Amino acid sequence: MRDLFPEDWRPNVKKFFLGLDAWVDFSIFRSFAGARETYQRFSTFMDRFHVSGWRRWLTEATSEARRSARPGSF
């Protein structure tokens, strides 16, 4: 009959937990790296809509005009 706990069970358990720890660490690293990349792409996309100079004043003026034209707006 086979022994339920062989003599070399401790190194196997240690290797398993070491592998599990490495997998968790790598998963966390990759998820944060992916989030960082997604934010950079979103930021680059939103930079296209940056308005400055006289165009900003024009945008602000039209925005305020539209807001005040709506009834019940504050």
Side-chain angles (χ1 to χ4, degrees):
M1 190 152 131
R2 194 172 135 194
D3 191 14
L4 192 57
F5 294 106
E7 293 296 322
D8 61 346
W9 68 275
R10 272 198 164 157
N12 292 338
V13 171
K14 286 183 180 181
K15 287 180 187 177
F16 171 76
F17 282 120
L18 183 62
L20 181 65
D21 180 54
W23 178 78
V24 168
D25 289 345
F26 184 70
S27 298
I28 291 171
F29 171 78
R30 289 299 294 165
S31 64
F32 279 109
R36 183 177 60 236
E37 171 123 3
T38 302
Y39 175 75
Q40 287 175 344
R41 288 181 181 196
F42 176 74
S43 179
T44 303
F45 174 74
M46 290 306 287
D47 282 345
R48 296 179 192 173
F49 302 106
H50 178 75
V51 181
S52 62
W54 66 271
R55 291 182 186 107
R56 180 173 181 177
W57 289 104
L58 182 63
T59 304
E60 290 290 330
T62 57
S63 173
E64 292 299 323
R66 286 188 317 156
R67 186 183 306 175
S68 63
R70 289 186 298 195
S73 62
F74 296 99

Short mmCIF file of all heavy atoms in Angstrom, two decimals, residues 2-3 13-17 23 25-26 29 32-33 36 45-46 58 63-64 66-67 69:
data_model
loop_
_atom_site.label_atom_id
_atom_site.label_comp_id
_atom_site.label_asym_id
_atom_site.label_seq_id
_atom_site.Cartn_x
_atom_site.Cartn_y
_atom_site.Cartn_z
N ARG A 2 0.42 2.27 -0.69
CA ARG A 2 1.21 3.49 -0.84
C ARG A 2 1.12 4.34 0.42
O ARG A 2 0.05 4.48 1.03
CB ARG A 2 0.66 4.25 -2.04
CG ARG A 2 1.56 5.33 -2.50
CD ARG A 2 1.04 5.90 -3.79
NE ARG A 2 1.12 7.34 -3.66
CZ ARG A 2 0.54 8.20 -4.42
NH1 ARG A 2 -0.21 7.76 -5.40
NH2 ARG A 2 0.67 9.47 -4.24
N ASP A 3 2.26 4.95 0.78
CA ASP A 3 2.30 5.81 1.96
C ASP A 3 1.57 7.13 1.67
O ASP A 3 1.80 7.76 0.64
CB ASP A 3 3.76 6.07 2.34
CG ASP A 3 3.88 6.73 3.68
OD1 ASP A 3 2.89 6.75 4.43
OD2 ASP A 3 4.98 7.24 3.99
N VAL A 13 5.56 20.55 -1.03
CA VAL A 13 4.61 21.56 -0.55
C VAL A 13 5.23 22.94 -0.63
O VAL A 13 4.60 23.92 -1.05
CB VAL A 13 4.14 21.24 0.88
CG1 VAL A 13 3.33 22.37 1.47
CG2 VAL A 13 3.33 19.95 0.90
N LYS A 14 6.51 23.05 -0.26
CA LYS A 14 7.20 24.34 -0.33
C LYS A 14 7.29 24.84 -1.77
O LYS A 14 7.07 26.02 -2.04
CB LYS A 14 8.60 24.24 0.27
CG LYS A 14 8.60 24.15 1.78
CD LYS A 14 10.02 24.12 2.31
CE LYS A 14 10.02 24.03 3.81
NZ LYS A 14 11.38 24.02 4.36
N LYS A 15 7.58 23.94 -2.69
CA LYS A 15 7.64 24.33 -4.10
C LYS A 15 6.27 24.77 -4.61
O LYS A 15 6.16 25.73 -5.38
CB LYS A 15 8.16 23.17 -4.95
CG LYS A 15 9.63 22.92 -4.79
CD LYS A 15 10.07 21.76 -5.65
CE LYS A 15 11.52 21.40 -5.36
NZ LYS A 15 11.94 20.22 -6.14
N PHE A 16 5.24 24.07 -4.16
CA PHE A 16 3.89 24.44 -4.57
C PHE A 16 3.54 25.84 -4.09
O PHE A 16 3.04 26.67 -4.86
CB PHE A 16 2.85 23.43 -4.03
CG PHE A 16 1.44 23.88 -4.23
CD1 PHE A 16 0.84 23.81 -5.48
CD2 PHE A 16 0.71 24.40 -3.17
CE1 PHE A 16 -0.46 24.23 -5.67
CE2 PHE A 16 -0.59 24.83 -3.34
CZ PHE A 16 -1.17 24.75 -4.60
N PHE A 17 3.79 26.13 -2.81
CA PHE A 17 3.47 27.44 -2.28
C PHE A 17 4.35 28.54 -2.87
O PHE A 17 3.92 29.67 -3.06
CB PHE A 17 3.52 27.45 -0.75
CG PHE A 17 2.31 26.83 -0.12
CD1 PHE A 17 2.41 25.72 0.68
CD2 PHE A 17 1.04 27.36 -0.35
CE1 PHE A 17 1.29 25.15 1.25
CE2 PHE A 17 -0.08 26.80 0.21
CZ PHE A 17 0.04 25.68 1.03
N TRP A 23 2.96 33.13 -8.82
CA TRP A 23 1.83 33.33 -9.71
C TRP A 23 0.98 34.53 -9.26
O TRP A 23 0.57 35.35 -10.08
CB TRP A 23 0.98 32.07 -9.77
CG TRP A 23 -0.24 32.21 -10.63
CD1 TRP A 23 -0.29 32.17 -11.98
CD2 TRP A 23 -1.57 32.45 -10.18
NE1 TRP A 23 -1.58 32.36 -12.41
CE2 TRP A 23 -2.38 32.53 -11.32
CE3 TRP A 23 -2.15 32.59 -8.93
CZ2 TRP A 23 -3.74 32.75 -11.24
CZ3 TRP A 23 -3.50 32.80 -8.86
CH2 TRP A 23 -4.29 32.89 -10.00
N ASP A 25 1.98 37.09 -7.34
CA ASP A 25 2.77 38.31 -7.54
C ASP A 25 2.77 38.73 -9.00
O ASP A 25 2.60 39.91 -9.32
CB ASP A 25 4.21 38.10 -7.07
CG ASP A 25 4.33 38.01 -5.56
OD1 ASP A 25 3.38 38.39 -4.87
OD2 ASP A 25 5.39 37.56 -5.09
N PHE A 26 2.97 37.80 -9.89
CA PHE A 26 3.00 38.13 -11.32
C PHE A 26 1.63 38.60 -11.80
O PHE A 26 1.53 39.54 -12.60
CB PHE A 26 3.45 36.91 -12.13
CG PHE A 26 3.60 37.20 -13.59
CD1 PHE A 26 4.63 38.00 -14.05
CD2 PHE A 26 2.71 36.67 -14.50
CE1 PHE A 26 4.76 38.27 -15.40
CE2 PHE A 26 2.83 36.93 -15.85
CZ PHE A 26 3.86 37.74 -16.30
N PHE A 29 1.21 42.15 -10.65
CA PHE A 29 2.07 43.01 -11.45
C PHE A 29 1.47 43.25 -12.83
O PHE A 29 1.41 44.39 -13.31
CB PHE A 29 3.47 42.39 -11.58
CG PHE A 29 4.34 43.10 -12.57
CD1 PHE A 29 4.95 44.30 -12.24
CD2 PHE A 29 4.54 42.58 -13.83
CE1 PHE A 29 5.74 44.96 -13.16
CE2 PHE A 29 5.33 43.23 -14.75
CZ PHE A 29 5.94 44.42 -14.41
N PHE A 32 -1.66 45.57 -12.72
CA PHE A 32 -1.32 46.98 -12.57
C PHE A 32 -0.64 47.53 -13.81
O PHE A 32 -0.86 48.67 -14.19
CB PHE A 32 -0.45 47.21 -11.33
CG PHE A 32 -1.24 47.27 -10.06
CD1 PHE A 32 -1.15 46.24 -9.14
CD2 PHE A 32 -2.09 48.32 -9.79
CE1 PHE A 32 -1.88 46.27 -7.97
CE2 PHE A 32 -2.83 48.37 -8.62
CZ PHE A 32 -2.72 47.34 -7.71
N ALA A 33 0.18 46.73 -14.46
CA ALA A 33 0.82 47.17 -15.70
C ALA A 33 -0.24 47.38 -16.78
O ALA A 33 -0.18 48.35 -17.54
CB ALA A 33 1.85 46.14 -16.15
N ARG A 36 -2.09 50.57 -15.96
CA ARG A 36 -1.26 51.72 -16.29
C ARG A 36 -1.29 51.99 -17.80
O ARG A 36 -1.44 53.13 -18.24
CB ARG A 36 0.17 51.50 -15.81
CG ARG A 36 1.09 52.68 -16.07
CD ARG A 36 2.48 52.45 -15.52
NE ARG A 36 3.10 51.30 -16.14
CZ ARG A 36 3.58 50.25 -15.49
NH1 ARG A 36 3.51 50.20 -14.17
NH2 ARG A 36 4.13 49.26 -16.13
N PHE A 45 -5.77 59.65 -25.63
CA PHE A 45 -7.01 59.88 -26.37
C PHE A 45 -7.67 61.18 -25.94
O PHE A 45 -8.12 61.97 -26.77
CB PHE A 45 -7.96 58.70 -26.17
CG PHE A 45 -9.32 58.90 -26.76
CD1 PHE A 45 -9.50 58.84 -28.14
CD2 PHE A 45 -10.40 59.16 -25.96
CE1 PHE A 45 -10.75 59.03 -28.71
CE2 PHE A 45 -11.66 59.36 -26.51
CZ PHE A 45 -11.84 59.29 -27.88
N MET A 46 -7.72 61.43 -24.63
CA MET A 46 -8.39 62.64 -24.13
C MET A 46 -7.58 63.90 -24.44
O MET A 46 -8.16 64.99 -24.50
CB MET A 46 -8.62 62.52 -22.62
CG MET A 46 -9.67 61.48 -22.27
SD MET A 46 -11.25 61.72 -23.11
CE MET A 46 -11.86 63.13 -22.24
N LEU A 58 -13.92 80.76 -26.47
CA LEU A 58 -15.11 80.57 -27.30
C LEU A 58 -15.93 79.38 -26.80
O LEU A 58 -17.16 79.46 -26.68
CB LEU A 58 -14.71 80.36 -28.76
CG LEU A 58 -15.85 80.19 -29.76
CD1 LEU A 58 -16.69 81.46 -29.81
CD2 LEU A 58 -15.30 79.83 -31.13
N SER A 63 -20.61 77.37 -24.00
CA SER A 63 -21.09 76.44 -22.98
C SER A 63 -21.96 77.17 -21.97
O SER A 63 -23.02 76.67 -21.57
CB SER A 63 -19.90 75.79 -22.29
OG SER A 63 -20.33 75.01 -21.20
N GLU A 64 -21.51 78.34 -21.53
CA GLU A 64 -22.29 79.11 -20.57
C GLU A 64 -23.59 79.60 -21.19
O GLU A 64 -24.62 79.66 -20.53
CB GLU A 64 -21.47 80.30 -20.04
CG GLU A 64 -20.29 79.88 -19.19
CD GLU A 64 -20.71 79.12 -17.95
OE1 GLU A 64 -21.76 79.45 -17.35
OE2 GLU A 64 -20.00 78.19 -17.57
N ARG A 66 -25.31 78.11 -23.54
CA ARG A 66 -26.24 76.97 -23.62
C ARG A 66 -26.80 76.64 -22.25
O ARG A 66 -27.96 76.28 -22.11
CB ARG A 66 -25.54 75.74 -24.20
CG ARG A 66 -25.31 75.85 -25.68
CD ARG A 66 -24.81 74.56 -26.25
NE ARG A 66 -23.79 73.96 -25.40
CZ ARG A 66 -23.49 72.67 -25.38
NH1 ARG A 66 -24.11 71.84 -26.16
NH2 ARG A 66 -22.55 72.20 -24.59
N ARG A 67 -25.95 76.73 -21.22
CA ARG A 67 -26.40 76.39 -19.87
C ARG A 67 -27.46 77.38 -19.38
O ARG A 67 -28.45 76.99 -18.78
CB ARG A 67 -25.22 76.38 -18.90
CG ARG A 67 -25.63 75.88 -17.54
CD ARG A 67 -24.53 75.92 -16.54
NE ARG A 67 -23.35 75.21 -17.01
CZ ARG A 67 -22.22 75.18 -16.37
NH1 ARG A 67 -22.09 75.82 -15.23
NH2 ARG A 67 -21.19 74.52 -16.84
N ALA A 69 -29.44 79.12 -21.20
CA ALA A 69 -30.63 79.08 -22.05
C ALA A 69 -31.60 77.99 -21.61
O ALA A 69 -32.78 78.04 -21.90
CB ALA A 69 -30.23 78.86 -23.50
#
